[in-house]
């Protein structure tokens, strides 16, 4: 969070783009809180190094020094993978910044005199803030406020030490009250609060935020305050009366223009919201409703770009948005253009054909596309991110293995068991990775998972014999498209794919893409085994893999122009019930697919339509289950169900 400040970031030679890399490092290394075990011990907690900043930084530095495979410890430290090349500069600057913080923070715990605090904070400003032109005013403001500490100490003859909490509260109040440092009336436009004795004549005077609940301020009531608890006397101060006088001073100082602004309509239900009582009294006295201008809710309203003396805008961007709204035929729900919350899809018109950079298709890229076409379209083709796409960094140590952490550890233990390794010995690696709960709780969770994955691997081993083969390269050309990649997990009898969880539609699609690509390798088996904890699938050899891959690539190109209505769970359920219905199933395929999409009581996975990427590309107002969706589901899944055998 500190590095999000441009002044701090520039001082440590980090770019804004580096923040995304650093955020990924912090998340992957399991950094949660605490400098190190000594810092935690000072807080009365166990001296545990896991999930501290020191532990994470050691993983990063060792990952640059050694080739990390995320499975081999060095002196109890797990080197992080892929910290190399130009990332070394980013890592170095980040570590220098972190180490500077680690030195400074403990020193703030001891009380100091005001003069000592001033020297300490001035050193920190020089150490952490860049004083370039863009932040010179803010840095100067910091130094001005810090300079008041020694002045105050000398004026009060105060030489006692004060704690950090006290000095922090004092500086916070001073910085909040102080102005920008440029002085009152120093420029063409002055921003200030309403204060007594500032009623200097101005050509234009604007009072903003004159809402009913904001101004005048209400008197605060304290139990021991006789003025506000029933015994006021003539001449007692009233905050409301003071604000009424400030308002009178302000409007008398306006010479040419007096501008009063308030929120006149509720943003929730568009109901009338009254202004401040003083604004209402002024309007009643003047008696001219024509003085009130009702603005629109959206800055791209067409009213701002029509010939009107009342409403106007200089924003070229909002003008383009207004033309786009008019050209697409969208209409507001009321004259004030308060739009409903219904989302309008941005992809009614397909994009242009993808450029040549999209014609070289990586195998994993193709698998990612079919596992979630809508997400791929938005993130990869449009280069857009959802507001909640980046999860906030965790700030407390893990208390249990859940979600992706549990799945990732399960995959590692299953792979280790298949290779004949010792799962129990992997405990130290998992703990060094910062994924386990501390102490005996983490060991218990790990032991349970180790037993479960060992049994899962033993089941897989019954169907996969022999030693693992080396990787195989895939290289297939279809017109202008070329598919390349590498397949791992090959055994003499089959290509193995496993998931230490229940199988989902996206898992089937990924395994299917790899199974089709398997037929374009040399000296490889022609079967694929897909294992989940609930079921296992076998994909038989294909008679015409070229036509299947060509059709998948055609859908891939279509999905780069417009979101492909392929929903892994709902589409697979519809195709299975249509192509291979079970004898006792009475629910029609389309009804069953809708239950997957909309959610039902027996669907523990929830509604597939709740996925943010599907909700963005396929809004609720438009039913996606049309004939095109049905044809697409059968087109993708028919070859899958024809080639699969379920065990």
């Amino acid at each position: 969070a500190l590095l999000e400040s441009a002044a701090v970031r520039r001082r440590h030679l980090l770019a804004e783009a580096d923040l995304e890399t650093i955020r990924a490092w912090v998340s992957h290394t399991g950094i949660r809180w605490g400098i190190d075990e000594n810092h935690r011990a000072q807080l009365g907690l166990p001296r545990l190094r896991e999930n501290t900043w020191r532990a994470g930084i050691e993983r990063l530095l060792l990952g640059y020094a050694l080739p990390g495979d995320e499975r081999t410890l060095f002196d109890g430290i797990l080197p992080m993978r892929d910290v190399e090349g130009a990332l070394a500069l980013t890592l170095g600057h980040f570590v220098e910044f972190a180490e500077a913080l680690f030195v400074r923070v403990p020193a703030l715990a001891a009380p100091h005199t005001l003069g000592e605090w001033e020297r300490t904070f001035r050193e920190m400003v020089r150490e952490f803030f860049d004083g370039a032109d863009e932040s010179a005013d803010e840095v100067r403001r910091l130094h001005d406020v810090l300079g008041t500490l020694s002045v105050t100490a000398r004026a009060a003859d105060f030489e006692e030490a004060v704690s950090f909490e006290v000095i922090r509260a004092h500086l916070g109040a001073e910085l909040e009250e102080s102005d920008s440092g440029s002085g009152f009336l120093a420029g063409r436009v002055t921003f200030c609060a309403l204060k007594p004795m500032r009623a200097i004549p101005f050509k234009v005077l604007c009072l903003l935020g004159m809402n009913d609940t904001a101004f005048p301020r209400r008197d605060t009531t304290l139990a021991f305050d006789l003025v506000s608890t029933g015994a006021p006397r003539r001449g007692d101060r009233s905050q409301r009366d003071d604000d009424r006088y400030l308002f009178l001073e302000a409007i008398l100082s306006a010479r040419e223009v007096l501008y009063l602004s308030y929120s006149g309509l509720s943003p929730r239900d568009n109901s009338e919201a009254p202004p401040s009582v003083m604004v209402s009294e002024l309007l009643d006295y003047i008696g001219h409703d024509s003085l009130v201008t009702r603005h629109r809710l959206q800055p791209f309203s067409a009213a701002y770009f029509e010939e009107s003396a009342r409403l106007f805008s200089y924003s070229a961007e909002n003008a383009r948005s207004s033309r786009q709204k008019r050209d697409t035929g969208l209409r507001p729900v009321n004259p004030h253009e308060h739009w409903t919350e219904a989302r309008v899809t941005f992809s009614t018109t397909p994009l242009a054909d993808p450029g040549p950079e999209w014609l070289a298709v990586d195998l994993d890229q193709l698998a990612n596309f079919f596992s979630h076409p809508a997400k791929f379209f938005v993130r990869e083709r449009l280069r857009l991110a959802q507001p909640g796409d980046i999860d906030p960094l965790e700030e407390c140590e893990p208390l249990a293995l859940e979600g992706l952490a549990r799945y990732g550890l399960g995959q590692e233990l299953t792979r280790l068991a298949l290779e004949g390794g010792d799962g129990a010995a992997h405990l130290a690696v998992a703990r060094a990775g910062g994924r386990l709960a501390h102490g005996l709780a983490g060991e218990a969770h790990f032991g349970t998972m180790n037993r479960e994955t060992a049994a899962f691997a033993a089941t897989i081993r019954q169907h996969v014999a022999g030693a693992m083969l080396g990787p195989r390269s895939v290289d297939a050309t279809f017109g202008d498209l070329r598919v390349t990649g590498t397949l791992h997990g090959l055994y003499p009898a089959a290509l193995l794919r496993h998931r230490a969880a229940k199988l989902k539609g996206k898992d089937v699609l990924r395994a299917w893409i790899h199974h089709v690509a398997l037929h374009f390798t040399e000296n490889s088996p022609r079967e694929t085994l897909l294992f989940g904890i609930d079921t296992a699938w076998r994909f038989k050899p294909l008679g015409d893999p070229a036509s299947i891959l060509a059709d998948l690539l055609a859908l891939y190109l279509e999905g780069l122009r417009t979101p492909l209505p392929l929903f892994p769970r709902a589409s697979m359920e519809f195709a299975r019930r249509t192509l291979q219905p079970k004898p006792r199933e009475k629910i029609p395929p389309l009804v069953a697919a809708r239950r997957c999409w909309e959610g039902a009581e027996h669907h523990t996975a929830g509604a597939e339509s709740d996925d943010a990427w599907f909700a963005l590309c396929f809004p609720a107002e438009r039913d996606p289950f049309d004939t095109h969706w049905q044809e697409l589901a059968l087109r993708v899944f028919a070859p899958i169900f024809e080639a699969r055998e379920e065990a």
Side-chain angles (χ1 to χ4, degrees):
L2 293 176
L3 288 175
E4 290 178 355
S5 168
V8 178
R9 196 168 55 243
R10 287 195 303 267
R11 177 65 180 82
H12 294 87
L13 305 178
L14 290 168
E16 186 175 2
D18 295 330
L19 294 184
E20 184 177 352
T21 302
I22 295 173
R23 173 182 287 272
W25 285 344
V26 171
S27 176
H28 187 81
T29 54
I31 295 174
R32 299 300 174 88
W33 74 275
I35 297 176
D36 53 20
E37 63 272 27
N38 296 325
H39 182 205
R40 289 184 170 178
Q42 293 172 4
L43 301 175
L45 298 173
R47 297 173 59 89
L48 296 174
R49 196 175 184 83
E50 297 120 51
N51 302 111
T52 62
W53 281 94
R54 291 280 188 198
I57 289 177
E58 286 175 351
R59 290 193 60 193
L60 290 169
L61 292 173
L62 201 57
Y64 176 72
L66 298 176
D69 58 1
E70 303 274 342
R71 299 173 66 178
T72 305
L73 296 176
F74 179 87
D75 196 21
I77 303 172
L78 183 65
M80 183 174 164
R81 183 186 304 162
D82 299 332
V83 183
E84 56 189 15
L87 293 177
L89 290 175
T90 302
L91 176 60
H93 296 319
F94 172 61
V95 170
E96 288 179 353
F97 163 75
E99 292 294 340
L101 278 180
F102 298 159
V103 172
R104 286 290 181 179
V105 169
L108 300 179
H112 300 287
T113 64
L114 294 184
E116 291 171 344
W117 278 122
E118 179 182 343
R119 289 191 293 272
T120 298
F121 287 134
R122 286 189 186 277
E123 292 174 0
M124 294 181 68
V125 171
R126 289 191 292 269
E127 186 175 5
F128 287 98
F129 291 89
D130 175 57
D133 295 340
E134 299 178 6
S135 56
D137 291 340
E138 286 85 352
V139 173
R140 183 172 60 250
R141 182 182 175 192
L142 283 173
H143 282 293
D144 291 342
V145 173
L146 292 175
T148 63
L149 294 178
S150 57
V151 174
T152 302
R154 288 193 299 269
D157 194 19
F158 182 78
E159 294 296 332
E160 296 184 18
V162 297
S163 66
F164 173 71
E165 289 74 17
V166 172
I167 200 69
R168 177 180 178 179
H170 171 72
L171 291 178
E174 288 293 317
L175 288 169
E176 186 174 335
E177 288 294 329
S178 65
D179 56 27
S180 62
S182 57
F184 189 64
L185 296 179
R188 293 179 177 271
V189 179
T190 297
F191 292 88
C192 66
L194 283 176
K195 292 185 178 181
M197 308 303 293
R198 277 198 173 178
I200 301 174
F202 291 92
K203 289 184 178 181
V204 179
L205 190 140
C206 305
L207 299 180
L208 309 181
M210 302 297 290
N211 298 331
D212 180 40
T213 58
F215 195 83
R217 294 167 293 175
R218 285 165 170 73
D219 293 319
T220 57
T221 302
L222 300 175
F224 56 83
D225 187 357
L226 297 180
V227 174
S228 58
T229 55
R233 295 181 180 180
R234 184 182 300 276
D236 287 343
R237 183 177 180 181
S238 170
Q239 198 170 44
R240 289 182 64 84
D241 291 342
D242 289 347
D243 286 347
R244 296 178 70 88
Y245 180 73
L246 289 176
F247 182 74
L248 176 62
E249 274 193 335
I251 62 176
L252 290 177
S253 64
R255 288 297 176 260
E256 296 182 6
V257 175
L258 174 64
Y259 178 90
L260 308 176
S261 173
Y262 64 93
S263 299
L265 295 173
S266 170
R268 295 189 174 213
D269 55 8
N270 202 36
S271 60
E272 292 282 344
S276 167
V277 63
M278 288 177 287
V279 177
S280 298
E281 291 176 356
L282 180 63
L283 290 174
D284 291 341
Y285 180 80
I286 296 174
H288 290 286
D289 291 338
S290 60
L291 295 176
V292 179
T293 300
R294 293 178 176 269
H295 285 277
R296 304 300 187 257
L297 177 64
Q298 305 293 354
F300 50 79
S301 169
Y304 289 101
F305 307 99
E306 298 172 349
E307 293 185 3
S308 172
R310 305 285 293 179
L311 298 176
F312 57 91
S313 173
Y314 297 103
S315 172
E317 181 180 358
N318 289 329
R320 290 192 297 270
S321 300
S322 177
R323 287 194 297 270
Q324 175 69 19
K325 177 173 70 70
R326 183 177 63 251
D327 295 342
T328 54
L330 302 178
R331 292 292 179 267
V333 295
N334 63 48
H336 298 296
E337 294 197 305
H338 280 249
W339 292 74
T340 63
E341 294 184 358
R343 292 180 294 267
V344 179
T345 179
F346 53 81
S347 56
T348 53
T349 303
L351 301 180
D353 291 340
E357 68 275 11
W358 293 96
L359 301 182
V361 186
D362 183 76
L363 186 59
D364 291 334
Q365 176 183 344
L366 189 64
N368 290 336
F369 169 80
F370 277 97
S371 65
H372 205 318
K375 181 178 180 179
F376 190 93
F377 175 80
V378 177
R379 293 188 65 177
E380 304 300 329
R381 186 73 203 277
L382 298 182
R383 293 294 181 183
L384 297 178
Q386 295 265 37
D389 195 19
I390 301 178
D391 295 329
L393 294 173
E394 296 286 347
E395 295 182 349
C396 63
E397 62 270 20
L399 303 178
L401 273 171
E402 297 176 346
L404 291 177
R406 179 180 179 85
Y407 168 71
L409 182 58
Q411 287 291 90
E412 292 177 14
L413 290 174
T414 302
R415 182 169 55 251
L416 187 64
L418 289 172
E419 296 173 357
D422 182 9
H426 198 70
L427 173 62
V429 175
R431 190 173 293 286
R435 290 175 293 178
L436 294 180
H438 298 171
L440 295 177
E443 294 182 17
H445 291 157
F446 181 87
T448 301
M449 287 206 64
N450 189 35
R451 290 190 296 271
E452 293 175 351
T453 53
F456 183 45
T459 302
I460 297 175
R461 268 296 184 187
Q462 296 176 8
H463 303 274
V464 179
M468 183 184 295
L469 305 177
R472 298 290 189 269
S473 297
V474 177
D475 194 338
T477 303
F478 295 85
D480 295 333
L481 290 170
R482 182 183 180 186
V483 181
T484 58
T486 304
L487 287 175
H488 299 270
L490 285 155
Y491 287 83
L495 170 67
L496 175 62
R497 291 291 178 264
H498 58 81
R499 173 181 168 86
K502 292 184 177 181
L503 288 184
K504 297 181 179 179
K506 61 180 181 180
D507 304 316
V508 173
L509 287 167
R510 280 184 171 276
W512 175 249
I513 298 296
H514 291 166
H515 177 65
V516 176
L518 182 64
H519 292 71
F520 296 89
T521 62
E522 298 180 356
N523 302 321
S524 303
R526 290 296 181 257
E527 290 189 355
T528 297
L529 294 174
L530 173 62
F531 285 88
I533 61 173
D534 56 336
T535 187
W537 288 28
R538 171 184 279 109
F539 293 125
K540 298 178 293 186
L542 302 176
D544 189 6
S547 62
I548 296 176
L549 184 55
D551 191 49
L552 292 174
L553 291 173
L555 292 175
Y556 167 77
L557 291 178
E558 180 183 341
L560 292 178
R561 291 188 291 266
T562 185
L564 199 66
L566 179 69
F567 316 133
R569 189 148 54 96
S571 298
M572 189 172 77
E573 183 69 9
F574 173 79
R576 186 195 64 77
R577 288 177 179 261
T578 301
L579 301 171
Q580 295 181 357
K582 296 180 180 179
R584 296 184 180 181
E585 289 180 339
K586 297 181 180 180
I587 301 177
L590 191 57
V591 175
R594 285 190 182 277
R595 289 186 177 182
C596 293
W597 178 252
E598 299 171 357
E601 294 183 0
H602 64 282
H603 280 133
T604 58
E608 194 172 15
S609 59
D610 290 341
D611 183 284
W613 305 100
F614 287 141
L616 178 65
C617 296
F618 305 97
E621 311 81 63
R622 193 182 72 188
D623 184 11
F625 289 80
D626 53 14
T627 55
H628 175 59
W629 173 83
Q630 299 178 34
E631 293 171 355
L632 180 62
L634 296 177
R635 179 177 172 182
V636 172
F637 283 97
I640 296 178
F641 285 107
E642 183 179 353
R644 73 123 186 194
E645 292 177 351
E646 185 175 357

